[in-house]
C-alpha cells in the first residue's frame, strides 16, 4: 500500500467476511489521516524543492520587455522566447566573455579531469586492494585527509607556483588542481570496489594462462567497469561544480569555465538581465541534473564510499 | 614474487599520492613558511621574517574575528537545520510508498546545481523587482514584500542560509537514507514482536544504528559549511559592509586581491588546522564505530 | 600427462604461522588424490602451492620431470576448479571456457572446436551464449569444470568444487566429476573437508591435520586400518566410538567403566604390542556397524542406555551411553561430537526393524576381532 494512493481497503470488504475478520481489515480513521498528512508533507516538500527550477525556467524564457514590466504572476508570461538562451550562447560581452564557449571549456576540462582521475585511481585502487604493499592504511589515511583540505587555503601557494611554471591562466592549472576534489573520493571508492571482486577471479585467470597484466586487463577491469563508470560520473560533477579555483587561476575571458562566465553575465551598468542569468543557470544545471536523475544510484554509492563501509 | 608484487603496487599508487602531495602537502608547507614572513608579492620586496606578526594580525586586525564569528555561526545554524530536515526527509523516504523513487530523484536534483550557480539562482529569487520571494510576499500582503534581502545586514544571512540549505539538505538526506537502508528490517520486526512502539524503535534502534552514517554526514557538512565561499561570493560578496564575510572569502582576498601572502598564509594555516581537527574527529568517530 | 611429486613441501606465512609442514606426496599419472581434513589443516594451501598461487617456503615440487617451484601458474600447465567457481561474470559460457585457450593464442577455429567438445561432455551446449549470472548453481559448476578440462592440462586441481551445491546435486556431481576425470586421465588433486566425498571419489586419500599428512592410503584402507586416533575418528560417519579402557594386569581383559570384555588369545597373538599395555590405559575403537544387538549366546557384551534413535530406513542409528570415558579425537567431526559428547556416548548401526526406543537398556555384542587399539599418549594405532 502506498501513502500517495487512495487507501483501498477502508470500505467494507466486498466479499463476505466473518464479522471478527472484517474490522481488522479496516484501517482506523486516525491512521488514514496520518497517511494523508504524510503524503501532503511529501508533496509540499517536493514542490518546494523543485519550485526554484520552475521559476528560473520561466524567467529565462522572458523577453527583456516582459522583464521590465516586473513580476506579475507565477505563471509563465504570454510571450515565451528563447532569446535569452540565444544571446547567452552567441553574444560575446564587451569584456570578451562568451557563455557558449565557457560551457565548452567546462565540458572539455571535465572530460580531462575524468580521464586523469579514472586512470590514476584505477591504478591506485588496484594497488591498494590487490597488492601486498606496506603502509596501505597510511596511504588511505593521507588520501582521506587530502580530501578534507580547504581549497581556498591552497589558492595562494598554487597561484604563485603556477605563475612561476607558466601554468597560470591555463586549462592544465585547473585540471591538476581539480584532482584535490576527485582523487580522494575516487581512490577510496575504487579501493573498496576492487577489494570486493573475489580474488579467485584473478587467480582463475592466472591459472588459465594469463599474465598478471592480462588478468587485470581482461578480467579485473571489465568486472570493475561499473565502479570506474561511477568514478567518471562523480569526477565530472565535481569538476563541473568548481568556482574557487577557476576564479583564482583563469584570467583570459575565452578560457572561462561556465560558472565563471555566469558571474558577469547579464549585468549592464543600468540593469541586471535575470532572463539571461537564469538561462545560463538552466544550461549549467541541465547536464548534471540529467546525470543525477539517471545515475542516482551510482552517485550515491560513490558519495558514501568509505563513509558507510 | 612478493618483491615484484610490491614494486608493482608502489608504482601504481605513486602517481595518485604524488599528485595529492603536490597540491595539498606543498601548499600547506608553503603557507606555513609564508605565515611567519612579511610577504606582499606585488610590492616586489622579498619575504622577510616577522615572527608571529601575521598571527597577531588575525586577532588584532579588523576583519578576521568578525569573519570567524560569521563562519562559525553560519556553520552551526546551517548544520543543525540541514541535519534536522535531512533526517526527517530520510526517514520519510525510507518508508515504502508509491512514487518513492521519483520523489528521491526529484529532491536530489538541487544538489546537481553547482554551488556558485545555486548562489546566482537564489540571488535572482531574492531580487526585489524580478524575484519570486518579494513577489509572493506582496501578493499575500505579508510583511517583507519590499525588503531588499541581500542588501540588508539583518536579512542577507537568511538568504544565504536558504540557498545553502536548498542545495545541501538533499545531500544530507541521501547520506542518511543510505545509512537507514543498511539497517535490516528484521530488527524492526523483532522489536515490534518485542512490543516496541514506533518511537521506541526509532529511539532504540534507528538512532543508534544510524550513528555511523549520521557522524559522517555531520562532519562532511560541518566541513563544507565552515569553508563556505561560492554562495557568499555570488550572493553578497561578503556585504553589505562585511556583514557576511567568511574566512574562505577573506583568505581568497588576502591572496589574490591584497597579494598579502604572509597574512593569507596565516589564515590558511588556521583554516587547515580547523579542517584537520574536524577530519580527525571524523576518523576517530569512524574508528570507534568500526571497533565496536 | 605427468605425475606430481611433493617433497618436504613447507609453507610458512609472514606472521611465522606454519600452515604446511614438510609434506611428501606422490600423485601418479591418472591418479585421483583427495586431500581431506578439517578447516585450517592446510589442504587448500597445499593445492594453491601446486597451482603457483602461493609461494613455496621450502621443499621441491615437480610436475613430470620439471621442478616448478618458481614457475608462474600460467607456465605450470595446470587447470583449477575453484570453490566459488570464479567464473568471469562479463563473459559468456563459451568465452569462459575458451579464455585459457585464447591466452595460449590458439586459433579461433580450434578454440571453438575444443569449447564445443567440452560443452558436449558437460551437457552445456544449450547454454553456451549465456552469462554465468543466468545459470543455476549446478550449471556454473559445470562451466568451471569445462574451463578446466578444455585445456587438456597435465594436472587438475580442484578446491572444494562441490561445496556450494545442494546435497542432491552434490551426490550427482560427485559421480560426474569422477567420470570426467577417468575419461581425461590427468592426475588430479582434489581438496575437500567432506570425508564422504573423499571416500567415494579418491583413488587415494591424504588425511591432513595442522599442516601434516596423517595418513595417505586407499579409502578402504583408511577406514579399516587408520594409523592414528584422528584418522580413525575423521573417516567414517557416524564416526568410530572411542573409549578409554583399562587393560587388566594379566592382559586378558579390558575394563570399560564397570563392564569388561575379554581378549581372546588369537588377538593377543596377532598384536603382540598389546602386551606392553597390561595394567595400563589404552584406547579402544569400535565402528558403529560392529555393535549389533547381542543375542542370548553372545558373551562379549556391552550394556548401554539408549538416548536417541535415528531411523534412516536402511539402518537404525542408536545413540547410547555407557559408563566408560569417551575419547574425543582432535578436531573430529565437531557437530556430532558436541551433540553427544556426554560421558560414554556412542553410536551403533543396527537392523532398522528392531523395536528400540529411547530409555531402553540394550546389550551390544562386541566384535572384538574388529576392535582397534590406540596408545593414549601418542594416539598411534597398535596393529602389531
Amino acid at each position: 500500500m502506498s501513502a500517495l494512493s487512495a487507501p483501498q481497503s477502508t470500505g467494507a470488504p466486498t466479499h463476505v467476511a466473518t464479522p471478527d475478520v472484517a474490522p481488522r481489515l479496516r484501517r482506523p480513521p486516525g491512521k488514514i489521516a496520518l497517511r494523508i498528512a504524510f503524503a501532503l508533507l511529501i508533496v509540499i516538500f517536493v514542490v518546494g524543492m523543485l519550485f526554484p527550477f520552475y521559476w528560473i525556467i520561466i524567467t529565462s524564457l522572458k523577453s527583456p520587455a516582459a522583464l521590465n514590466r516586473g513580476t506579475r504572476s507565477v505563471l509563465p508570461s504570454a510571450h515565451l522566447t528563447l532569446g535569452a538562451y540565444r544571446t547567452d550562447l552567441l553574444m560575446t560581452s564587451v569584456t570578451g566573455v562568451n557563455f557558449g564557449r565557457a560551457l565548452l571549456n567546462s565540458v572539455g576540462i571535465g572530460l580531462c579531469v575524468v580521464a586523469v582521475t579514472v586512470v590514476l585511481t584505477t591504478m591506485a585502487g588496484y594497488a591498494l586492494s590487490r597488492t601486498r604493499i606496506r603502509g596501505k592504511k597510511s596511504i588511505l589515511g593521507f588520501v582521506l585527509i587530502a580530501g578534507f583540505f580547504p581549497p581556498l587555503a591552497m589558492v595562494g601557494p598554487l597561484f604563485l607556483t603556477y605563475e612561476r611554471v607558466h601554468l597560470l591562466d591555463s586549462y592544465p592549472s585547473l585540471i591538476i588542481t581539480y584532482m584535490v576534489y576527485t582523487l580522494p573520493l575516487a581512490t577510496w571508492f575504487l579501493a573498496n570496489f576492487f577489494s570486493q571482486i573475489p580474488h579467485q577471479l584473478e587467480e582463475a585467470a592466472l591459472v588459465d594462462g594469463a599474465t598478471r597484466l592480462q588478468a587485470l586487463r581482461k578480467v579485473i577491469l571489465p568486472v570493475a567497469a561499473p565502479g570506474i563508470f561511477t568514478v567518471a560520473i562523480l569526477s565530472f560533477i565535481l569538476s563541473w561544480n568548481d568556482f574557487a579555483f577557476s576564479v583564482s587561476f583563469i584570467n583570459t575571458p575565452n578560457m572561462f569555465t561556465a560558472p565563471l562566465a555566469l558571474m558577469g553575465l547579464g549585468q549592464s551598468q543600468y540593469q541586471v538581465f535575470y532572463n539571461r542569468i537564469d538561462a545560463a543557470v538552466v544550461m549549467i544545471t541541465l547536464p548534471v541534473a540529467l546525470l543525477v536523475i539517471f545515475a542516482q544510484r551510482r552517485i550515491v554509492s560513490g558519495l558514501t564510499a568509505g563513509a558507510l563501509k | 614474487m612478493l618483491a615484484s608484487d610490491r614494486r608493482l603496487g608502489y608504482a601504481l599508487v605513486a602517481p595518485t599520492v604524488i599528485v595529492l602531495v603536490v597540491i595539498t602537502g606543498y601548499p600547506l608547507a608553503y603557507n606555513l613558511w609564508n605565515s611567519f614572513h612579511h610577504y606582499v608579492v606585488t610590492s616586489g620586496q622579498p619575504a622577510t621574517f616577522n615572527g608571529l606578526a601575521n598571527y597577531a594580525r588575525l586577532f588584532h586586525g579588523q576583519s578576521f574575528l568578525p569573519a570567524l564569528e560569521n563562519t562559525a555561526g553560519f556553520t552551526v545554524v546551517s548544520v543543525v537545520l540541514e541535519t534536522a530536515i535531512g533526517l526527517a526527509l530520510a526517514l520519510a523516504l525510507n518508508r515504502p510508498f508509491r512514487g518513492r523513487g521519483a520523489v528521491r530523484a526529484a529532491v536530489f536534483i538541487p544538489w546537481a546545481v553547482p554551488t556558485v550557480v545555486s548562489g546566482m539562482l537564489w540571488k535572482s529569487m531574492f531580487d526585489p523587482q524580478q524575484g519570486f520571494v518579494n513577489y509572493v510576499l506582496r501578493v499575500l500582503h505579508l510583511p517583507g514584500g519590499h525588503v531588499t534581502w541581500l542588501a540588508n545586514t539583518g536579512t542577507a544571512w537568511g538568504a544565504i542560509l536558504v540557498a545553502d540549505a536548498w542545495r545541501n539538505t538533499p545531500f544530507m538526506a541521501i547520506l542518511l537514507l543510505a545509512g537507514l537502508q543498511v539497517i535490516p528490517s528484521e530488527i524492526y520486526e523483532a522489536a515490534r514482536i518485542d512490543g516496541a512502539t514506533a518511537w521506541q524503535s526509532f529511539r532504540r534502534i534507528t538512532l543508534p544504528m544510524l550513528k555511523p552514517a549520521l557522524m559522517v554526514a555531520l562532519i562532511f557538512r560541518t566541513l563544507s559549511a565552515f569553508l563556505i565561499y561560492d554562495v557568499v561570493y555570488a550572493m553578497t560578496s561578503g556585504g553589505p559592509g562585511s556583514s557576511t564575510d567568511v574566512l574562505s572569502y577573506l583568505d581568497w582576498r588576502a591572496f589574490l586581491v591584497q597579494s598579502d601572502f604572509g597574512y593569507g598564509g596565516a589564515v590558511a594555516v588556521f583554516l587547515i588546522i580547523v579542517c584537520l581537527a574536524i577530519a580527525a574527529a571524523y576518523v576517530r568517530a569512524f574508528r570507534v564505530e568500526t571497533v565496536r | 600427462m605427468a605425475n606430481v611429486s611433493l617433497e618436504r613441501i613447507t609453507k610458512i606465512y609472514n606472521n611465522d604461522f606454519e600452515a604446511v609442514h614438510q609434506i611428501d606426496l606422490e600423485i601418479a599419472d591418472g591418479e585421483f588424490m583427495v586431500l581431506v581434513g578439517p578447516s585450517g589443516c592446510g589442504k587448500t594451501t597445499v593445492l594453491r602451492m601446486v597451482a603457483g598461487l602461493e609461494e613455496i617456503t621450502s621443499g621441491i615440487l615437480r610436475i613430470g620431470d620439471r621442478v616448478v617451484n618458481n614457475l608462474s601458474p600460467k607456465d605450470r600447465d595446470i587447470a583449477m576448479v575453484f570453490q566459488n567457481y570464479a567464473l568471469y561474470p562479463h563473459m559468456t559460457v563459451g568465452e569462459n571456457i575458451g579464455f585459457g585457450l585464447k591466452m595460449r593464442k590458439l586459433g579461433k577455429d580450434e578454440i571453438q572446436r575444443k569449447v564445443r567438445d567440452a560443452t558436449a561432455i558437460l551437457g552445456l551446449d544449450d547454454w553456451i551464449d549465456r552469462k554465468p549470472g543466468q545459470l543455476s548453481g549446478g550449471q556454473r559448476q559445470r562451466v568451471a569444470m569445462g574451463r578446466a578440462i578444455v585445456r587438456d592440462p597435465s594436472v587438475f586441481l580442484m578446491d572444494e568444487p562441490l561445496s556450494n551445491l545442494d546435497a542432491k546435486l552434490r551426490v550427482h556431481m560427485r559421480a560426474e566429476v569422477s567420470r570426467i576425470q577417468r575419461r581425461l586421465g590427468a592426475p588430479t588433486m582434489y581438496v575437500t573437508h567432506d570425508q564422504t566425498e573423499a571416500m567415494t571419489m579418491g583413488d587415494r586419500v591424504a588425511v591432513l591435520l595442522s599442516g601434516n599428512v596423517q595418513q595417505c592410503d586407499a579409502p578402504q584402507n583408511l577406514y579399516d586400518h587408520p594409523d592414528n586416533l584422528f584418522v580413525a575418528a575423521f573417516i567414517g560417519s557416524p564416526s568410530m566410538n572411542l573409549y578409554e579402557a583399562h587393560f587388566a594386569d594379566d592382559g586378558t581383559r579390558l575394563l570399560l567403566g564397570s563392564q569388561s570384555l575379554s581378549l581372546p588369545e588369537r588377538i593377543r597373538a596377532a598384536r603382540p604390542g598389546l602386551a606392553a599395555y597390561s595394567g595400563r590405559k589404552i584406547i579402544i575403537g569400535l565402528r558403529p556397524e560392529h555393535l549389533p544387538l547381542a543375542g542370548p549366546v553372545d558373551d562379549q557384551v556391552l550394556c548401554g542406555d539408549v538416548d536417541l534413535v535415528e531411523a534412516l530406513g536402511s539402518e537404525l542409528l542408536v545413540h547410547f551411553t555407557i559408563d566408560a570415558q569417551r575419547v574425543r579425537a582432535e578436531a573430529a567431526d565437531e557437530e556430532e561430537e558436541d551433540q553427544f559428547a556426554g560421558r560414554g556416548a556412542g553410536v551403533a548401526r543396527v537392523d532398522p526393524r528392531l523395536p528400540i526406543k529411547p530409555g531402553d537398556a540394550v546389550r551390544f555384542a562386541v566384535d572384538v576381532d574388529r576392535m582397534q587399539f590406540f596408545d593414549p599418549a601418542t594416539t598411534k594405532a597398535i596393529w602389531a
Side-chain angles (χ1 to χ4, degrees):
Chain A
M1 265 313 292
S2 132
L4 293 177
S5 67
Q8 286 158 4
S9 52
T10 48
T14 46
H15 62 275
V16 182
T18 49
D20 61 316
V21 172
R24 241 184 274 157
L25 289 175
R26 194 176 295 150
R27 289 221 172 74
K31 229 172 175 179
I32 300 169
L34 220 73
R35 292 164 75 86
I36 290 172
F38 176 77
L40 219 62
L41 265 175
I42 293 274
V43 169
I44 290 170
F45 193 85
V46 170
V47 169
M49 291 303 271
L50 296 186
F51 185 80
F53 290 116
Y54 166 76
W55 191 256
I56 56 162
I57 289 170
I58 65 164
T59 306
S60 74
L61 294 172
K62 280 182 181 172
S63 63
L67 210 60
N68 282 333
R69 284 195 294 273
T71 303
R72 301 266 174 89
S73 163
V74 289
L75 298 175
S77 62
H79 303 286
L80 297 179
T81 165
L82 287 170
Y85 290 87
R86 202 174 308 127
T87 318
D88 274 354
L89 290 174
L90 300 179
M91 204 177 91
T92 304
S93 75
V94 283
T95 50
V97 179
N98 174 286
F99 186 74
R101 169 70 202 237
L103 272 180
L104 287 181
N105 289 342
S106 269
V107 170
I109 290 169
L111 293 179
C112 290
V113 169
V114 166
V116 178
T117 304
V118 161
V119 171
L120 291 191
T121 57
T122 300
M123 285 160 47
Y126 178 81
L128 289 168
S129 66
R130 284 307 167 91
T131 66
R132 286 169 287 179
I133 54 174
R134 286 178 208 275
K136 281 181 194 175
K137 275 196 177 152
S138 326
I139 293 172
L140 278 169
F142 164 72
V143 169
L144 183 71
I145 287 173
F148 285 131
F149 255 61
L152 275 303
M154 290 143 56
V155 154
L158 289 176
F159 181 89
L160 285 187
T161 310
Y162 289 143
E163 190 173 43
R164 248 164 246 165
V165 298
H166 304 291
L167 273 180
L168 206 59
D169 204 16
S170 73
Y171 298 135
S173 70
L174 293 185
I175 294 166
I176 296 168
T177 317
Y178 288 176
M179 290 302 129
V180 80
Y181 295 137
T182 61
L183 290 187
L185 196 64
T187 305
W188 270 77
F189 178 74
L190 281 184
N192 223 320
F193 200 92
F194 277 120
S195 66
Q196 282 164 5
I197 299 173
H199 278 264
Q200 289 190 346
L201 223 50
E202 197 174 3
E203 292 173 351
L206 293 180
V207 170
D208 267 346
T211 62
R212 182 140 192 201
L213 235 63
Q214 281 174 318
L216 176 61
R217 220 178 57 227
K218 307 232 168 190
V219 175
I220 302 296
L221 287 188
V223 174
I228 293 171
F229 185 56
T230 301
V231 162
I233 291 177
L234 275 177
S235 304
F236 188 84
I237 293 177
L238 291 168
S239 154
W240 191 258
N241 185 39
D242 171 74
F243 175 69
F245 290 128
S246 55
V247 75
S248 307
F249 300 151
I250 301 296
N251 255 324
T252 308
N254 69 9
M255 294 174 77
F256 276 15
T257 60
L260 198 50
L262 171 68
M263 284 298 114
L265 206 67
Q267 327 235 359
S268 80
Q269 226 170 325
Y270 311 102
Q271 195 186 353
V272 182
F273 290 97
Y274 276 110
N275 56 345
R276 290 195 57 195
I277 293 178
D278 288 349
V281 168
V282 170
M283 287 187 276
I284 291 185
T285 303
L286 202 63
V288 181
L290 290 178
L291 281 179
V292 164
I293 291 170
F294 292 111
Q296 192 182 17
R297 228 162 260 283
R298 285 185 191 290
I299 292 170
V300 172
S301 81
L303 287 174
T304 53
L308 300 174
K309 293 245 166 77
Chain B
M1 225 163 124
L2 181 62
S4 77
D5 177 70
R6 287 221 170 108
R7 261 201 308 280
L8 176 72
Y10 289 127
L12 290 178
V13 83
T16 295
V17 171
I18 290 170
V19 169
L20 282 177
V21 167
V22 168
I23 53 180
T24 63
Y26 164 73
L28 169 63
Y30 200 26
N31 271 325
L32 209 55
W33 192 85
N34 281 343
S35 71
F36 295 110
H37 290 75
H38 177 74
Y39 186 33
V40 177
V41 176
T42 45
S43 69
Q45 304 289 319
T48 49
F49 182 75
N50 67 353
L52 291 173
N54 289 320
Y55 290 97
R57 272 174 69 199
L58 293 188
F59 296 99
H60 299 300
Q62 306 220 322
S63 41
F64 181 81
L65 285 179
L68 174 60
E69 202 178 306
N70 286 341
T71 311
F74 169 77
T75 303
V76 170
V77 174
S78 72
V79 169
V80 168
L81 191 75
E82 289 163 23
T83 309
I85 301 174
L87 180 58
L89 185 59
L91 286 171
L93 289 178
N94 197 36
R95 298 173 45 146
F97 59 84
R98 197 175 300 165
R100 178 169 71 159
V103 169
R104 203 162 66 183
V107 298
F108 199 34
I109 297 178
W111 182 79
V113 182
T115 322
V116 76
V117 177
S118 76
M120 287 304 274
L121 184 155
W122 281 97
K123 190 179 178 185
S124 103
M125 294 286 285
F126 276 110
D127 184 84
Q129 268 80 49
Q130 310 289 344
F132 172 75
V133 177
N134 289 64
Y135 165 73
V136 85
L137 290 176
R138 282 199 302 271
V139 167
L140 298 176
H141 299 289
L142 288 171
H146 297 280
V147 172
T148 48
W149 299 91
L150 294 171
N152 241 308
T153 327
T155 54
W157 269 121
I160 291 173
L161 209 60
V162 168
D164 188 78
W166 177 73
R167 183 179 184 270
N168 291 320
T169 304
F171 176 77
M172 196 79 188
I174 291 290
L175 274 187
L176 294 179
L177 183 60
L180 285 176
Q181 282 171 339
V182 300
I183 305 176
S185 61
E186 286 91 347
I187 296 191
Y188 289 111
E189 285 160 9
R192 263 173 63 190
I193 289 166
D194 284 343
T197 62
W199 168 248
Q200 281 170 325
S201 61
F202 173 75
R203 177 75 193 73
R204 302 280 168 203
I205 297 169
T206 310
L207 272 189
M209 294 198 69
L210 191 59
K211 211 172 141 197
L214 192 60
M215 279 290 191
V216 169
L218 266 175
I219 288 152
F220 266 115
R221 276 308 305 141
T222 311
L223 264 174
S224 72
F226 189 76
L227 297 173
I228 182 173
Y229 166 82
D230 297 15
V231 172
V232 168
Y233 186 104
M235 290 180 82
T236 64
S237 300
S242 61
S243 60
T244 57
D245 199 11
V246 288
L247 289 181
S248 281
Y249 191 49
L250 172 79
D251 204 17
W252 183 79
R253 291 199 316 272
F255 285 130
L256 295 182
V257 178
Q258 291 129 21
S259 295
D260 189 343
F261 279 67
Y263 180 66
V267 178
V269 169
F270 180 85
L271 277 176
I272 291 168
I273 289 172
V274 173
C275 284
L276 291 189
I278 297 173
Y282 162 61
V283 173
R284 209 175 133 200
F286 183 52
R287 189 168 49 219
V288 169
E289 286 307 321
T290 48
V291 164
R292 205 180 287 164
Chain C
M1 302 295 152
N3 59 321
V4 180
S5 131
L6 286 75
E7 206 179 309
R8 298 195 315 282
I9 293 289
T10 297
K11 175 71 192 183
I12 300 171
Y13 283 105
N14 290 341
N15 54 5
D16 287 338
F17 172 68
E18 188 176 35
V20 174
H21 176 74
Q22 302 206 349
I23 278 188
D24 292 305
L25 272 182
E26 283 281 337
I27 298 104
D29 198 1
E31 188 178 25
F32 198 114
M33 169 71 83
V34 176
L35 304 181
V36 69
S39 54
C41 71
K43 55 191 189 295
T44 296
T45 308
V46 171
L47 197 73
R48 291 171 56 85
M49 283 193 285
V50 175
L53 297 171
E54 206 80 66
E55 272 167 276
I56 297 170
T57 309
S58 68
I60 298 167
L61 173 66
R62 287 192 184 82
I63 296 177
D65 305 327
R66 291 192 303 167
V67 173
V68 298
N69 280 46
N70 295 316
L71 292 186
S72 65
K74 73 185 173 68
D75 300 322
R76 294 189 183 194
D77 196 20
I78 46 164
M80 185 159 170
V81 180
F82 290 86
Q83 184 172 5
N84 299 314
Y85 316 141
L87 302 183
Y88 311 124
H90 56 294
M91 299 182 196
T92 63
V93 167
E95 288 165 343
N96 259 285
I97 295 175
F99 183 74
L101 302 176
K102 209 167 130 194
M103 290 294 102
R104 285 182 166 66
K105 303 213 160 43
L106 264 64
K108 248 195 178 131
D109 296 339
E110 199 180 356
I111 293 179
Q112 203 165 21
R113 187 174 50 75
K114 290 192 171 203
V115 169
R116 289 273 166 208
D117 288 349
T119 51
I121 292 175
L122 293 161
L124 283 169
D125 286 332
D126 297 341
W127 307 91
I128 201 158
D129 292 321
R130 301 287 183 103
K131 294 262 176 78
Q134 301 165 298
L135 302 181
S136 70
Q139 288 165 337
R140 285 181 211 184
Q141 212 284 328
R142 281 165 206 265
V143 178
M145 285 293 295
R147 208 164 57 177
I149 66 175
V150 76
R151 297 233 323 272
D152 201 11
S154 47
V155 183
F156 276 124
L157 305 174
M158 304 191 191
D159 185 8
E160 310 219 11
L162 305 183
S163 64
N164 284 342
L165 301 178
D166 65 56
K168 204 166 175 186
L169 200 52
R170 192 153 58 213
V171 173
H172 175 72
M173 286 307 291
R174 220 152 68 189
E176 186 140 336
V177 170
S178 296
R179 181 176 63 82
I180 292 169
Q181 193 267 342
R182 289 196 208 305
R183 177 166 167 171
L184 297 168
T188 300
M189 290 177 78
Y190 184 106
V191 162
T192 179
H193 65 269
D194 178 352
Q195 60 94 22
T196 315
E197 256 174 50
M199 296 292 282
T200 52
M201 299 177 80
D203 292 325
R204 280 195 300 156
V205 176
V207 184
L208 274 77
L209 178 66
S210 17
N212 289 288
V213 175
Q214 302 291 311
Q215 190 174 358
C216 178
D217 212 332
Q220 197 60 47
N221 288 346
L222 284 181
Y223 190 81
D224 293 338
H225 300 283
D227 274 352
N228 60 35
L229 212 52
F230 173 74
V231 176
F234 190 82
I235 299 292
S237 174
S239 61
M240 188 184 278
N241 301 303
L242 295 162
Y243 298 106
E244 209 173 83
H246 192 85
F247 230 131
D249 291 343
D250 61 1
T252 59
R253 278 183 314 121
L254 281 166
L255 305 174
L256 278 102
S258 63
Q259 309 187 53
S260 78
L261 296 167
S262 67
L263 215 54
E265 173 59 35
R266 61 174 189 282
I267 293 178
R268 279 180 283 146
R271 301 178 185 184
L274 286 177
Y277 293 86
S278 298
R280 292 171 50 195
K281 274 186 187 159
I282 193 167
I283 293 169
I284 64 154
L286 286 163
R287 291 280 178 200
E289 60 270 32
H290 302 147
L291 284 172
L293 286 205
V297 292
D298 286 311
D299 53 347
Q300 299 281 41
V301 167
L302 282 177
C303 296
D305 299 320
V306 177
D307 299 318
L308 174 72
V309 178
E310 291 176 287
L312 301 181
S314 62
E315 63 199 29
L316 207 57
L317 295 183
V318 179
H319 296 265
F320 60 87
T321 318
I322 62 174
D323 65 345
Q325 181 65 47
R326 166 127 193 158
V327 175
R328 300 189 56 174
E330 189 183 349
D333 197 349
E334 278 165 24
E335 269 172 60
E336 207 170 319
E337 285 289 314
D338 284 343
Q339 202 173 350
F340 302 103
R343 184 180 161 81
V347 184
R349 199 195 295 264
V350 302
D351 189 305
R353 282 165 197 86
L354 289 171
I356 300 177
K357 299 186 303 296
D360 289 355
V362 285
R363 295 166 73 242
F364 297 104
V366 177
D367 188 347
V368 283
D369 288 287
R370 317 192 70 158
M371 191 149 66
Q372 301 184 359
F373 301 90
F374 304 90
D375 183 300
T378 65
T379 77
K380 290 258 182 290
I382 304 157
W383 289 112

